[in-house]
């Protein structure tokens, strides 16, 4: 869940490393450091806190290092400190290592080295790797890596410097993402393409259990057994400007405001709106597969899991396909029933395409013999490469830790897949499909209309700044929107916010409602509107202040109830539009509380460890 950057070339690399680390700040971190291979030997510089603190230290170093590695650390083993910050060295200070992932058997390996007289200076699992590479050094670093890496249990993406080969950058990967970039007379490594897009459009995702030696002339890649590997290149399609704020105060607000274009791009890629049909070549199911489909299991984590819950509702309601939405971190450890049902499909959803639990769930489904589909926002990500079929959301780079536009793109893609399946399975006529696509075609304009009213949301957040308990309630798809709304608010504002199926309030939770509570009702689904209104009246009778997002009732449930509506929205499109309101509420509430909106405490963008 940290950031890795590395460089080898014919120019000083300090500036490159610091710039790369700044582009990886959104992933979440509490300390940072760099290591340089200079003619005099390895040099390490570290700082606790933001990259600005590290930059102050590094600027004192000479710009005569042509190979280096850098890292932003999110603490797992040991508290944030200079000693625990990466890079880590061996006892002789000849090897420096940066590491993403977790080494599960580091305690045993550390004890073995300590019995051999090796002295450790940190609490981290990463230092074990550096000490092992120094202790077992044999001939050269690739040989040593092939000896040491099989000792490690767990996951790793590694950047390594060796003082004996100061112009070479080494890297290795197992179950944690790492990219190799190629420039003019220089090579790079990074954990995220955002760190490299200013310098190259050609990157090579490292394959599982591979080692690479990079020099300014190129790269040599091999397996742990020493067999040569040729990596497949990936072309970066978005430009560097997409990863900048573009005049917005925060990336989160920028990405919320980009959603009309994201919705438009997704619709145009997967549907021909003029003809009112789905683009057959873009869909993950053939007509034969659609008709034979018996059930779908969807798995993801966090916000993507809420998209899965929406996907379940849409696939069942529109296509009549039995669907289960699973939390990937639970699914991967759940008991395995005998054999997968015939014609069953497993669909893994991940914005980054690298979420560790979702990737493990995908592998489990493959082992059971299920057909696998991936939904990812990152071309060439691990989940995309390992699934049998992949569909991409077209959200572009999402920099803020709290996901916004990627979530809307996922839900819209689920709607398009559900409509396609419903049509192929005979549940929608050509005319009904055309009508449904016309509804979706109005989404970008409707989303833009909500964004044009964002000062209303900002005013509401300002007036309710003193509120510390927020409950979101809804039914069916509105309950899922409530879950996402509550998660977004707690992610960026740190306020206590919870979501409940509206009908469950009376089974205990209503005891928490009082005059200091804000209750947000989501009401977009016609068949249960009156039920939701009744639940809002129940909490109002107990003193709660109310906000309604959705279809306003004929008679307000309370005189002071604020209503944010979506004119012209259907049951299909209203949940997406309600989500935009919820995202704006989270953003402006966090702004009122002075929070670090793009980089919330304790969170990381891509969760690549358990």
């Amino acid at each position: 869940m940290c950031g890795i950057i590395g460089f080898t070339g014919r120019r000083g690399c300090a500036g490159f490393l610091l710039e790369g680390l700044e582009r990886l700040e959104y992933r979440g971190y509490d300390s940072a450091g760099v290591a340089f291979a200079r003619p005099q030997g390895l040099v390490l510089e570290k700082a606790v806190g933001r990259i600005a603190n590290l930059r102050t230290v590094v600027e004192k170093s000479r710009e005569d290092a042509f190979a280096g590695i850098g890292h932003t650390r999110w603490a797992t083993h040991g508290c944030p400190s200079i000693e625990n910050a990466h890079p880590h060295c061996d006892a002789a200070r000849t090897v420096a290592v940066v590491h993403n992932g977790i080494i599960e058997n580091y305690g045993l390996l550390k004890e073995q080295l300590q019995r051999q007289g090796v002295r450790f200076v940190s609490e981290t699992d990463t230092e074990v790797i550096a000490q092992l590479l120094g202790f077992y050094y044999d001939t050269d670093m690739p040989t040593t890596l092939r000896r040491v890496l099989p000792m490690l249990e767990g996951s790793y993406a590694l950047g390594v410097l060796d003082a004996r080969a100061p112009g070479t950058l080494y890297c290795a990967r197992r179950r944690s993402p790492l990219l190799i970039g190629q420039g003019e007379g220089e090579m790079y490594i990074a954990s995220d393409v955002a760190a490299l897009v200013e310098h190259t459009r050609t990157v090579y995702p490292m394959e599982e259990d591979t080692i690479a030696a990079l020099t300014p002339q190129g790269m040599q890649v091999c397996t742990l057994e020493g067999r040569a590997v040729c990596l497949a290149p990936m072309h970066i399609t978005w430009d560097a400007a997409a990863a900048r704020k573009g005049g917005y105060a925060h990336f989160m607000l920028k990405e919320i405001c980009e959603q009309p274009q994201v919705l438009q791009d997704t619709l145009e890629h997967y549907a021909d709106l003029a003809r009112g049909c789905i683009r057959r070549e873009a869909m993950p199911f053939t007509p034969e597969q659609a008709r034979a489909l018996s059930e779908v299991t969807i798995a993801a984590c966090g916000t993507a899991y809420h998209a899965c819950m929406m996907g379940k509702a849409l696939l069942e309601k529109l296509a009549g396909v039995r669907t289960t939405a699973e939390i990937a971190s639970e699914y991967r450890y759940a008991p395995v029933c005998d054999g997968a049902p015939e014609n069953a499909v497993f669909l893994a959803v991940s914005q980054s395409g690298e979420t560790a639990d979702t990737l493990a769930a995908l592998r489990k489904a493959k082992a059971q013999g299920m057909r696998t589909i991936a939904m990812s926002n990152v071309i060439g990500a691990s989940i995309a490469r390992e699934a049998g079929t992949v569909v991409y959301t077209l959200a572009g780079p999402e920099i803020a830790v709290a996901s916004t536009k990627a979530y809307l793109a996922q839900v819209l893609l689920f709607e398009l897949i559900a409509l396609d399946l419903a049509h192929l399975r005979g549940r929608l006529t050509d005319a009904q499909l055309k009508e449904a696509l016309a509804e979706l075609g109005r989404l970008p304009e409707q989303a833009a209309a909500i964004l044009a009213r964002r000062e209303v949301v900002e005013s509401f957040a300002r007036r309710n700044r003193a509120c510390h308990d927020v409950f979101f309630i809804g039914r069916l798809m509105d309950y899922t929107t409530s879950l996402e709304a509550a998660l977004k608010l707690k992610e960026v504002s740190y306020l206590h916010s919870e979501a409940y199926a509206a009908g469950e309030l009376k089974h205990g939770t209503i005891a928490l409602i009082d005059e200091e509570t804000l209750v947000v009702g989501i009401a977009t689904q016609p068949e249960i509107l009156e039920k939701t209104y009744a639940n809002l009246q129940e909490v109002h009778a107990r003193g709660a202040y109310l906000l309604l997002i959705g279809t306003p009732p004929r008679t307000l449930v309370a005189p002071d109830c604020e209503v944010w509506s979506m004119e012209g929205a259907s049951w299909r499109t209203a949940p997406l539009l309600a989500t935009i309101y919820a995202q704006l509420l989270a953003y402006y509430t966090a702004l009122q509380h002075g929070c670090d909106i793009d980089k919330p405490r304790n969170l990381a963008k891509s969760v690549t460890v358990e």
Side-chain angles (χ1 to χ4, degrees), residues 133 238 302:
L133 292 173
W238 46 270

Side-chain angles (χ1 to χ4, degrees), residues 69-101:
I69 50 178
H71 190 269
T72 52
R73 176 179 185 258
W74 193 84
T76 54
H77 298 78
C79 64
S81 68
I82 294 293
E83 292 77 16
N84 289 332
H86 297 213
H88 289 284
C89 281
D90 67 325
R93 211 176 174 85
T94 56
V95 176
V97 173
V98 292
H99 166 224
N100 282 356

